[in-house]
Amino acid sequence: MEETDRSIVAALSADGRMSYTDLAEKVGLSVSAVHQRVRRLEQRGVITGYAAKVNFEEIGLPLTALVAIRPFDPAQPDDAPEKLAHLPQIDSCYSVAGEDFYLLLVRVASPSDLEKLLQEIRTSANVTTRTTVVLSTPYEQRPPSVS
Amino acid sequence: MEETDRSIVAALSADGRMSYTDLAEKVGLSVSAVHQRVRRLEQRGVITGYAAKVNFEEIGLPLTALVAIRPFDPAQPDDAPEKLAHLPQIDSCYSVAGEDFYLLLVRVASPSDLEKLLQEIRTSANVTTRTTVVLSTPYEQRPPSVS
DNA sequence: ACTGAAAAGATCCCTTT
DNA sequence: AAAGGGATCTTTTCAGT
């Protein structure tokens, strides 16, 4: 990827609602040129969407946890991500190297909701779980270093 | 938090660039009422910002890893997050319960960049590291279930 | 690919209910 | 708290380079 596109991606990663006017000034192009480039970045799948960043404590999801999962029966077909996709408490699903198969980042309202979620995860995907509770989040989802 | 604010947060989590016109229609309020509510959500720190979602492979950061860290000397003051904040490869930092002290989500261009980053993490914060490489990401940063 | 300009649309502030 | 109105700014498209 090229220099101007990189600075566009960097700027929109830091402020996803920045206007094309401001973006144009920032990257040193006309508004219509920047607009065209952003559209291309979206079409090429470099920019896949835009999201508000929220304070999860404030929206009633103060408990974050990392759930490592392993199939109960390693001989079974492994389609845990699809089987778990319907659970809205799951923020992210990573397929990982190492002893575990997947790592899930989950957000819930309370320990008892975490307990229910873990049961749902185990029965939905026929897996065992090992859960690490997040105590605090010094920082999260920082804009990438697109340099 | 109240019903209308919740649907505003849900809508902007799913599409952070949605116009106030569309948002107003979605939540059944006038444009000015929605605008006022969004500003209040921002001021109260419920919405903390907006970000473009990017395809990290496309922007030259195809390697994601989870790095568990522990102080080399547990008697030393523990300020690893601040000591590591300057490293732009670190996307997120979670303080966790369990054997490890912090979990970092990092994104780099290559295995050799991961190696360099791990060295920097160890020397910057005087910690040991245990790294789990992400092989693929079935899904990530899904909008929260604000219901 | 970029620019400039013009029309359409959105934002933002202020007043009223 | 919400709605309406209107000035201002932004988005979007298009002709020209």
Side-chain angles (χ1 to χ4, degrees):
Chain A
M1 204 176 49
E2 171 250 30
E3 180 55 26
T4 307
D5 283 345
R6 264 201 282 269
S7 57
I8 289 172
V9 169
L12 289 176
S13 295
D15 178 5
R17 268 186 97 90
M18 180 179 285
S19 72
Y20 292 119
T21 310
D22 291 351
L23 199 52
E25 199 177 345
K26 196 151 205 169
V27 306
L29 278 180
S30 69
V31 171
S32 48
V34 164
H35 188 221
Q36 193 173 39
R37 275 174 182 262
V38 171
R39 283 172 69 94
R40 260 196 294 259
L41 288 165
E42 289 167 354
Q43 281 169 1
R44 285 171 42 207
V46 177
I47 292 172
T48 58
Y50 300 89
K53 290 190 275 188
V54 304
N55 183 330
F56 292 101
E57 311 204 348
E58 291 282 346
I59 64 163
L61 298 170
L63 179 47
T64 298
L66 288 142
V67 182
I69 71 174
R70 268 177 236 206
F72 185 75
D73 174 5
Q76 286 285 107
D78 176 20
D79 50 359
E82 303 94 274
K83 283 178 174 166
L84 298 172
H86 68 100
L87 295 167
Q89 300 95 329
I90 303 178
D91 175 289
S92 302
C93 172
Y94 301 100
S95 167
V96 291
E99 291 159 58
D100 299 305
F101 279 49
Y102 296 99
L103 255 165
L104 308 176
L105 179 70
V106 307
R107 304 194 197 268
V108 291
S110 66
S112 83
D113 280 4
L114 180 56
E115 183 178 28
K116 282 177 229 152
L117 176 62
L118 292 172
Q119 287 167 3
E120 288 185 280
I121 288 170
R122 288 192 283 256
T123 57
S124 295
N126 197 35
V127 292
T128 62
T129 62
R130 195 169 41 81
T131 299
T132 303
V133 169
V134 173
L135 302 172
S136 72
T137 303
Y139 35 88
E140 198 176 25
Q141 280 152 240
R142 299 201 303 175
S145 50
V146 197
S147 50
Chain B
M1 205 175 50
E2 172 249 30
E3 179 56 26
T4 307
D5 283 346
R6 263 201 280 270
S7 57
I8 289 172
V9 169
L12 288 176
S13 295
D15 178 5
R17 269 187 97 92
M18 180 179 285
S19 72
Y20 293 122
T21 308
D22 291 350
L23 197 52
E25 200 178 347
K26 197 151 205 168
V27 307
L29 279 180
S30 69
V31 171
S32 49
V34 165
H35 190 216
Q36 194 174 38
R37 276 174 181 262
V38 171
R39 273 201 304 228
R40 237 170 291 174
L41 289 165
E42 288 168 354
Q43 280 169 1
R44 285 172 42 208
V46 178
I47 293 172
T48 57
Y50 301 88
K53 290 190 276 187
V54 304
N55 183 330
F56 292 101
E57 311 204 348
E58 291 282 346
I59 63 163
L61 298 170
L63 179 47
T64 298
L66 288 142
V67 182
I69 71 175
R70 270 177 234 207
F72 186 74
D73 174 5
Q76 286 286 107
D78 177 19
D79 49 359
E82 304 94 275
K83 283 179 173 165
L84 298 173
H86 68 100
L87 295 167
Q89 301 95 329
I90 303 178
D91 175 288
S92 302
C93 173
Y94 301 100
S95 167
V96 291
E99 291 159 59
D100 299 306
F101 279 48
Y102 296 99
L103 255 164
L104 309 176
L105 179 70
V106 307
R107 304 193 197 269
V108 291
S110 66
S112 83
D113 281 2
L114 180 57
E115 183 178 29
K116 282 178 232 153
L117 176 62
L118 292 172
Q119 287 167 2
E120 287 185 280
I121 288 170
R122 288 191 283 255
T123 57
S124 295
N126 197 34
V127 292
T128 64
T129 63
R130 197 168 41 79
T131 299
T132 303
V133 169
V134 172
L135 302 172
S136 73
T137 303
Y139 34 89
E140 199 176 24
Q141 282 152 240
R142 300 202 302 175
S145 50
V146 197
S147 52

